Amino acid sequence: MKNHLIPPDKRVRVISEVLLVDDNTGDTELISQLLKKTGWSPHTYSVSDGVEAMAFLRRIGKYSRAPRPHLVLLDLNMPRKNGWTVLVEAKTDVTLKTIPIVVFTTSETMLDAERCYELGANSYVSKPGNLEIYTSTVTTIGDYWFGIASLEHREEE
């Protein structure tokens, strides 16, 4: 039975781990708050660049005890290592390629969207500039990935 047919107060609670990869801390804080308000209450973790994202995903250094995320929201334009590189590295790594990656970026260019899909992105969403639409967009992302899609919830290795 899928959760999207069940009222929020009657849903089966499966805690999901979400990695937010964005150099704009205002965006990551807002996304985290909005996802928690959806009723799905995922645990969110934030990193500000691609180097940190890959360390988190591979559980290296200070991230050695990090959980395996069930979903990644990835910005494309970041310092040190951009989202394009993170997408390629994650989707070509046999241990990471099954983690869904939603590219959530300011780019509205169809060429960027097409390229992200070619590289293995599971979804491409342009960040709206309007707060009301931004809120609705993040809520919809949460409802889709936590309520409709089947996310991999496996035991920790």
Side-chain angles (χ1 to χ4, degrees):
M1 181 176 349
K2 294 306 266 179
N3 280 336
H4 69 284
L5 302 174
I6 303 168
D9 62 329
K10 303 288 188 212
R11 293 176 182 158
V12 173
R13 296 288 181 204
V14 175
I15 300 298
S16 295
E17 312 290 346
V18 179
L19 177 61
L20 307 175
V21 185
D22 196 320
D23 60 327
N24 183 332
T25 56
D27 275 353
T28 58
E29 289 171 6
L30 180 58
I31 293 166
S32 181
Q33 290 172 5
L34 292 171
L35 288 176
K36 288 177 181 163
K37 287 183 181 179
T38 63
W40 301 109
S41 301
H43 292 154
T44 57
Y45 305 86
S46 301
V47 295
S48 61
D49 63 55
V51 172
E52 294 289 312
M54 292 312 300
F56 187 101
L57 291 170
R58 291 183 172 138
R59 299 174 179 162
I60 296 171
K62 69 181 181 181
Y63 301 111
S64 64
R65 299 185 67 140
R68 177 183 170 89
H70 300 108
L71 180 67
V72 175
L73 268 68
L74 176 67
D75 188 24
L76 293 177
N77 303 308
M78 296 177 295
R80 299 202 313 155
K81 183 181 284 189
N82 63 36
W84 297 98
T85 306
V86 171
L87 183 59
V88 169
E89 288 182 20
K91 290 301 182 177
T92 56
D93 184 317
V94 70
T95 64
L96 303 175
K97 68 182 181 180
T98 60
I99 300 171
I101 297 179
V102 174
V103 173
F104 192 47
T105 186
T106 56
S107 174
E108 296 180 1
T109 307
M110 284 309 300
L111 289 174
D112 285 349
E114 290 171 10
R115 184 71 180 133
C116 284
Y117 285 122
E118 288 171 0
L119 295 173
N122 298 88
S123 187
Y124 185 97
V125 180
S126 294
K127 290 180 186 176
N130 173 295
L131 182 59
E132 184 178 332
I133 298 170
Y134 191 102
T135 299
S136 175
T137 299
V138 172
T139 300
T140 301
I141 290 169
D143 285 343
Y144 174 75
W145 285 102
F146 306 125
I148 297 172
S150 296
L151 290 177
E152 176 184 339
H153 284 86
R154 67 180 181 187
E155 295 296 316
E156 287 295 312
E157 299 147 7

